[in-house]
Structures are given as C-alpha cells and as structure tokens.
Amino acid sequence: MVAKIGIAVVGVVVLVFGGLWVYAVSQSPSPGDCLEPVSTSGGRGELEKVDCSASSAVYVVVDRGSAARADHPCPDGDYHVDRGRSRKISRKTYTCAMLRVKEGDCLVVHDFSDGRAYGKADCASAPHRVARVVSGKADRAQCDATHKPLVYSTPATTVCLTA
C-alpha cells in the first residue's frame, strides 16, 4: 500500500515538473519568432515573444546559441543577444535577434541596467529613423557616412539608421 502511494506521489511530481518545463519551453522564442523589448525587475531588459503583426515587434529571432558558444553566441553581425532572465529554463542559452524594420520606421533606444535595445516609437519624438534596409547584403558600405549601419550576416541584411 505504501509503495503504491509512493509511486503515485512520484508520478504526480514528474507530471507537474514536466508540465512546467513544457510550458517554459513553449514560451521561449524560436527562430522566426518576433520580439519586443520589455523591462523586468531591477530595471533589466528582456526581449519578449510577441505576435509578428504587433506594432511593437521590432526584433526577429535568427538563432539560438548555447553556452558552448558563449564567447560568440550569434552569427557575425550586430545582433541583439538576449541571455534570458525570467520564464526561461536555463541562462545557458542565447537568443540572437536582428532588427525587423522597414524604411521609415522610427526607433528609440531603451537603456536597461544590463544593456540597450531598440523599440519602435512615434516619429515625432524618436531620435532614430530607418533610412534604408538592404536585403541580401551584409555590408556597412551600403549606408552613407551620415547613417549608422547595423549589419547582419544571417540573413544578409543591412539597416541604415539616422544618427
């Protein structure tokens, strides 16, 4: 009798923790998912998964890195690296995201205690405007001297921002 109760308790514990693990993994962004910057506890920042049709979706996930590549977790380029803070299974994974913008979009920089992230904003008050997006080329020379180039190797893209 005691053995049956013990097995039942172990089974319930395994199901609960398994369910929590599945939920957390489903909330983690995957390549192709869109993200927006949000403030977390302590003024830290995190990229949170949002529907790609949301106006706040300013980043897109291009890769998931691992601790094995901690020194250079993302492809070559100006990717935003999000190491995850809340609702993540492990801090040993890295989300590599690139800007998901079009010409004419306006951006602000969110300063978090652990880094910076761009966010979409009203053009009347935004300090940055997307002047040019070049798909198929990861080349800083695509932007003139008055623009800040952001270059991504995968997929090859160059984004030119007003300073």
Side-chain angles (χ1 to χ4, degrees):
M1 180 69 167
V2 173
K4 288 182 182 181
I5 292 173
I7 291 172
V9 169
V10 169
V12 169
V13 169
V14 168
L15 285 175
V16 167
F17 283 109
L20 290 173
W21 183 81
V22 168
Y23 173 76
V25 168
S26 72
Q27 297 303 306
S28 296
S30 300
D33 286 341
C34 293
L35 309 168
E36 70 174 326
V38 295
S39 181
T40 61
S41 64
R44 295 182 309 185
E46 179 176 294
L47 296 180
E48 187 173 273
K49 189 164 107 173
V50 295
D51 189 279
C52 288
S53 64
S55 62
S56 61
V58 69
Y59 289 98
V60 63
V61 176
V62 297
D63 193 15
R64 292 292 304 248
S66 68
R69 302 184 307 168
D71 59 326
H72 192 68
C74 297
D76 290 334
D78 298 312
Y79 297 94
H80 181 89
V81 181
D82 186 51
R83 287 170 171 77
R85 314 295 187 278
S86 65
R87 293 192 332 257
K88 302 292 191 271
I89 291 295
S90 170
R91 292 184 187 195
K92 294 180 181 178
T93 59
Y94 302 84
T95 300
C96 305
M98 64 182 275
L99 280 177
R100 181 183 172 273
V101 293
K102 63 185 183 311
E103 290 179 20
D105 282 348
C106 295
L107 304 171
V108 295
V109 176
H110 298 288
D111 285 311
F112 299 116
S113 65
D114 59 346
R116 308 175 89 188
Y118 287 102
K120 289 189 179 175
D122 183 334
C123 289
S125 61
H128 304 285
R129 182 182 291 263
V130 178
R132 185 172 187 208
V133 177
V134 182
S135 296
K137 291 187 180 185
D139 180 10
R140 294 185 187 288
Q142 296 297 312
C143 302
D144 65 35
T146 63
H147 294 117
K148 175 183 179 176
L150 296 174
V151 177
Y152 307 100
S153 60
T154 306
T157 306
T158 302
V159 177
C160 306
L161 299 178
T162 59

